Amino acid sequence: MLTMPIPDIILKSIYELKPEKLSEMGIKLLLMDLDNTLDKYHAKFPTVRLRNWIDGMKRAGIEPFIYSNSHGDRAERFANSLSIEYVNKASKPNVKRLFELLKEKNVSPENTAIIGDQIYTDILCGKKGGILTIAITPIDMTNPFHLFRYGAELPFRYAYKRRDKMKEKKD
Ligand SMILES: [Mg+2]
């Protein structure tokens, strides 16, 4: 079946995502993309701002978890530095690892969310997995390839806006 990767929520950055809001929605596990979501591609260590945001999630009883397609040791370094767990080489949008992880954690899809900057990997993975999907604007688009990819994702970001407007009219 074809899954339409229209995000459930679109925000400008992770910092617009409030722990209270996620708690209200029953989210217990927050899967977070790393590159261009938590930080720029070549950032070595988490910033103080990121650290505080992660701590806020933990205080609200939400487990922040790095779920990254990256190879190398960045995910591990970030995770260790933030005292959280991680998966790298996750192969998003493939959901095999996602379902394994939910089983390991004993968390249901209804209590899980994913946040990321890419529609065709992060959001599609979340949709296929039946979890809450939150898209953000990529932190850095100076790389022409990233800009091109972002352009290719725009129809789904517009579809979200349209749906949101229709919802507003109904309410
Ligand atoms: Mg990314």
Side-chain angles (χ1 to χ4, degrees), residues 71-78 88:
H71 293 238
D73 62 357
R74 285 189 68 237
E76 183 180 6
R77 203 168 346 111
F78 263 74
N88 65 356

Side-chain angles (χ1 to χ4, degrees), residues 33 35 37 117-118:
D33 171 53
D35 292 319
T37 296
D117 69 303
Q118 281 187 60

Side-chain angles (χ1 to χ4, degrees), residues 2-15:
L2 193 69
T3 308
M4 289 291 275
I6 301 171
D8 297 306
I9 299 172
I10 293 189
L11 302 172
K12 283 204 178 68
S13 91
I14 57 166
Y15 299 108

Side-chain angles (χ1 to χ4, degrees), residues 79-141:
N80 287 345
S81 182
L82 294 165
S83 305
I84 60 176
E85 293 177 45
Y86 75 99
V87 160
N88 65 356
K89 303 182 206 159
S91 304
K92 293 171 281 186
N94 192 310
V95 282
K96 185 169 171 274
R97 190 67 191 90
L98 173 67
F99 287 137
E100 283 169 6
L101 181 67
L102 295 188
K103 215 172 193 185
E104 284 162 29
K105 293 255 165 218
N106 199 19
V107 178
S108 69
E110 298 84 66
N111 300 122
T112 307
I114 188 167
I115 187 163
D117 69 303
Q118 281 187 60
I119 300 289
Y120 297 115
T121 55
D122 306 312
I123 302 306
L124 185 55
C125 177
K127 284 280 161 188
K128 284 161 69 181
I131 66 179
L132 181 74
T133 54
I134 307 157
I136 57 142
T137 308
I139 294 175
D140 180 15
M141 279 193 283

Side-chain angles (χ1 to χ4, degrees), residues 41-56:
Y41 269 87
H42 300 293
K44 291 245 177 338
F45 287 100
T47 59
V48 172
R49 192 181 186 200
L50 176 57
R51 236 170 243 293
N52 290 338
W53 181 80
I54 292 281
D55 287 344

